[in-house]
């Protein structure tokens, strides 16, 4: 029987293996915020999380019957606790569409104030886990203003605050990301910041950011041009829909053009460790009781729909959105916990049943449990109390696919 030269095969595949390991290190199911709150730089301050939390609690109390109808009393009380402790997990101070164009002196002053506020919030144990800004974009008429604002924010913050990230709006070409990396490098050099400490998100709100002129996926090339600095891909609902020619009446998170764009984003980011974030809804819970009730129900449905499709983070543009963000998220993970636990134990025991799961399915089941824990939908004791000896370490091993049926559990 001929002997295959395995050393030759190894030599051919070794560089491929290294490249795949570098580009696709794996996802982090436990660290992603549930949402990103956008607040105009003219309105943002250290009091923003407290003010939003208080406003959200007021809406919850006035419409508690609606929430009970959607998720039940137990989840409502957990939402109340979340809004009372850390209502905002990720805060972005906006200098772009939500801010508009102002005199340079005015934006300079707001940038300094934002830097100081973000530094204070980053050091607050009850503050957001992630903080940052959305400066203006990379188009010729605005990029110098964007860089100046970013620079003033960092100077006023005394460096890069913990969890800081800035958003790059209106991406249209992968080559723009090379320039963003250069901006980071130059700011780190000029201001003696730790190399690699500046990180950014890419906002996907242009069709050219999804499909390039040659038919390739711009977003994938952009992500892999970021040299490890890109933390997230954020969908821009209304700019993207408008650019695709969708009438304003029908622009929404659940429009088919949105589903297509986000599916491409999700595939591009899969196993890279880069988070995908859904966009916003312009329907806010204000006005009459009937309008608030309808808006709460609509947002709850949109958040649930996003979670079902694998988008575990989204924009919140109003304090009332926090109510239904937490309610939908907690309900989603709680409904997934018990069946996931049963199927995981059957997988580890190789017990039959109605479903015979593959390793990839066990990985997905473990991931949703870990995400639910990180989201605060349930406690670790709840998971351990389901029995079967499945620990948090076992779940993490299943996510990493380092445990298989019948093997010793970590």
């Amino acid at each position: 029987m001929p002997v295959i030269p395995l050393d030759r095969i190894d030599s051919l595949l070794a560089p491929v293996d290294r490249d795949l390991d570098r580009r696709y290190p794996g996802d982090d199911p436990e660290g992603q915020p549930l949402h990103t709150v956008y607040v105009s730089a003219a309105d943002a301050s250290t009091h923003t999380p407290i003010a939003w939390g208080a406003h959200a609690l007021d809406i919850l109390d006035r419409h508690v019957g609606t929430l009970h109808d959607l998720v039940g009393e137990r989840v409502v009380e957990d939402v109340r606790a979340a809004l009372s402790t850390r209502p905002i997990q990720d805060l972005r101070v906006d200098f772009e569409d939500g801010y508009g164009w102002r005199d340079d002196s005015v934006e300079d002053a707001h940038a300094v104030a934002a830097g100081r506020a973000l530094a204070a919030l980053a050091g607050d144990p009850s503050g957001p886990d992630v903080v940052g800004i959305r400066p203006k974009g990379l188009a010729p008429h605005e990029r110098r203003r964007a860089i100046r604002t970013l620079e003033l924010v960092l100077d006023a913050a005394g460096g890069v605050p913990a969890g800081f990230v800035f958003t790059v709006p209106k991406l249209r070409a992968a080559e723009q990301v090379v320039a963003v990396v250069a901006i980071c490098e130059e700011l780190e050099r000029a201001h003696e910041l730790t190399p690699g400490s500046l990180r950014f998100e890419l906002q996907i709100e242009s069709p050219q950011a999804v499909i390039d002129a040659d038919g390739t996926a711009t977003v994938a090339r952009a992500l892999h041009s970021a040299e490890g600095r890109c933390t997230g891909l954020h969908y821009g609902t209304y700019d993207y829909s408008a650019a695709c020619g969708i009438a304003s009446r029908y622009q929404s998170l659940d429009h088919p053009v949105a589903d297509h764009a986000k599916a491409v984003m999700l595939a591009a980011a899969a196993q890279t460790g880069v988070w995908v974030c859904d966009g916003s809804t312009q329907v806010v819970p204000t006005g009459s009781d009937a309008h608030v009730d309808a808006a709460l129900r609509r947002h709850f449905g949109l958040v649930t729909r996003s979670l079902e499709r694998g988008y575990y983070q989204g924009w919140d543009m109003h304090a009332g959105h926090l109510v239904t963000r937490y309610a939908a998220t907690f309900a989603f993970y709680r409904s997934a916990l018990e069946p996931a636990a049963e199927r995981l134990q059957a997988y580890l025991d190789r017990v039959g049943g109605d479903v015979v799961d593959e390793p990839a399915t066990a990985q997905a089941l473990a991931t949703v449990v870990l995400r639910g824990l990180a989201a605060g939908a349930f406690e670790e004791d709840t998971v351990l109390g389901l029995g079967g000896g499945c620990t948090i370490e076992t779940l993490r091993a299943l996510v990493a696919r380092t445990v298989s049926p019948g093997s010793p559990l970590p």
Side-chain angles (χ1 to χ4, degrees):
M1 181 175 180
V3 177
I4 297 175
L6 297 180
D7 288 345
R8 180 188 176 195
I9 306 303
D10 286 340
S11 67
L12 290 171
L13 290 178
V16 178
D17 295 337
R18 289 192 296 270
D19 189 56
L20 287 172
D21 287 342
R22 178 179 62 84
R23 290 180 179 274
Y24 303 101
D27 295 322
D28 175 11
E30 299 178 72
Q32 186 172 10
L34 304 188
H35 63 181
T36 300
V37 165
Y38 274 78
V39 179
S40 169
D43 302 320
S45 74
T46 54
H47 300 294
T48 294
I50 295 173
W52 274 57
H55 190 181
L57 284 168
D58 179 62
I59 292 174
L60 184 151
D61 288 336
R62 287 190 289 112
H63 297 272
V64 69
T66 301
L67 272 297
H68 283 162
D69 184 40
L70 290 171
V71 296
E73 183 176 356
R74 180 181 174 187
V75 172
V76 169
E77 291 311 305
D78 287 344
V79 171
R80 189 187 306 279
L83 295 174
S84 301
T85 52
R86 181 175 289 178
I88 296 179
Q89 295 188 0
D90 183 2
L91 176 65
R92 204 70 71 250
V93 178
D94 190 17
F95 290 89
E96 205 230 358
D97 284 351
Y99 179 78
W101 283 93
R102 308 182 187 222
D103 288 343
D104 282 341
S105 61
V106 174
E107 183 161 340
D108 286 353
H110 284 149
V112 170
R116 292 171 179 165
L118 293 178
L121 288 170
D124 183 352
S126 63
D129 294 316
V130 182
V131 297
I133 69 166
R134 178 172 69 168
K136 291 176 172 62
L138 298 170
H141 69 284
E142 59 185 347
R143 57 181 171 240
R144 294 197 175 201
R145 178 65 257 185
I147 295 169
R148 177 174 175 80
T149 295
L150 178 57
E151 193 168 21
L152 287 170
V153 167
L154 293 171
D155 281 347
V160 182
F164 180 86
V165 63
F166 68 95
T167 306
V168 180
K170 296 179 174 58
L171 179 78
R172 297 189 70 197
E175 292 76 12
Q176 290 175 313
V177 177
V178 177
V180 178
V181 171
I183 291 169
C184 293
E185 291 172 343
E186 291 300 324
L187 285 172
E188 290 165 356
R189 178 193 58 78
H191 295 269
E192 298 182 344
L193 303 174
T194 302
S197 59
L198 279 175
R199 310 189 78 188
F200 55 83
E201 305 156 336
L202 300 175
Q203 194 162 6
I204 309 304
E205 45 189 337
S206 162
Q208 294 80 35
V210 175
I211 299 178
D212 208 344
D214 62 359
T216 59
T218 309
V219 63
R221 292 194 297 113
L223 188 159
H224 291 289
S225 298
E227 298 185 13
R229 293 180 184 266
C230 179
T231 64
L233 303 175
H234 286 226
Y235 178 65
T237 309
Y238 301 101
D239 281 272
Y240 191 92
S241 299
C244 288
I246 307 304
S248 60
R249 178 181 177 183
Y250 301 104
Q251 293 173 5
S252 174
L253 296 177
D254 55 0
H255 192 281
V257 300
D259 286 340
H260 171 261
K262 290 181 288 188
V264 175
M265 292 163 60
L266 202 64
Q271 300 177 349
T272 65
V274 173
W275 295 325
V276 175
C277 179
D278 207 345
S280 63
T281 176
Q282 84 277 36
V283 180
V284 297
T286 60
S288 68
D289 285 348
H291 186 275
V292 172
D293 181 83
L296 291 172
R297 291 178 183 276
R298 174 174 174 75
H299 188 247
F300 179 89
L302 287 171
V303 174
T304 301
R305 183 182 190 275
S306 294
L307 291 165
E308 290 171 350
R309 284 156 178 77
Y311 312 121
Y312 301 105
Q313 182 179 358
W315 291 12
D316 287 329
M317 309 296 287
H318 185 275
H321 289 156
L322 301 184
V323 178
T324 35
R325 172 72 58 187
Y326 282 105
T329 301
F330 289 174
F332 172 80
Y333 286 120
R334 286 192 176 180
S335 67
L337 176 60
E338 190 165 345
E342 291 176 358
R343 287 174 65 182
L344 282 169
Q345 195 57 53
Y347 172 80
L348 293 169
D349 294 341
R350 256 312 183 228
V351 174
D354 296 334
V355 181
V356 178
D357 289 316
E358 296 293 327
T361 306
Q363 180 185 38
L365 292 166
T367 296
V368 77
V369 175
L370 289 175
R371 282 190 179 275
L373 274 171
F378 39 77
E379 300 294 331
E380 184 173 328
D381 288 347
T382 303
V383 177
L384 300 180
L386 294 172
C390 186
T391 67
I392 304 304
E393 290 71 25
T394 304
L395 293 171
R396 290 174 178 152
L398 286 167
V399 170
R401 297 182 75 164
T402 57
V403 63
S404 57
S407 65
L409 301 183

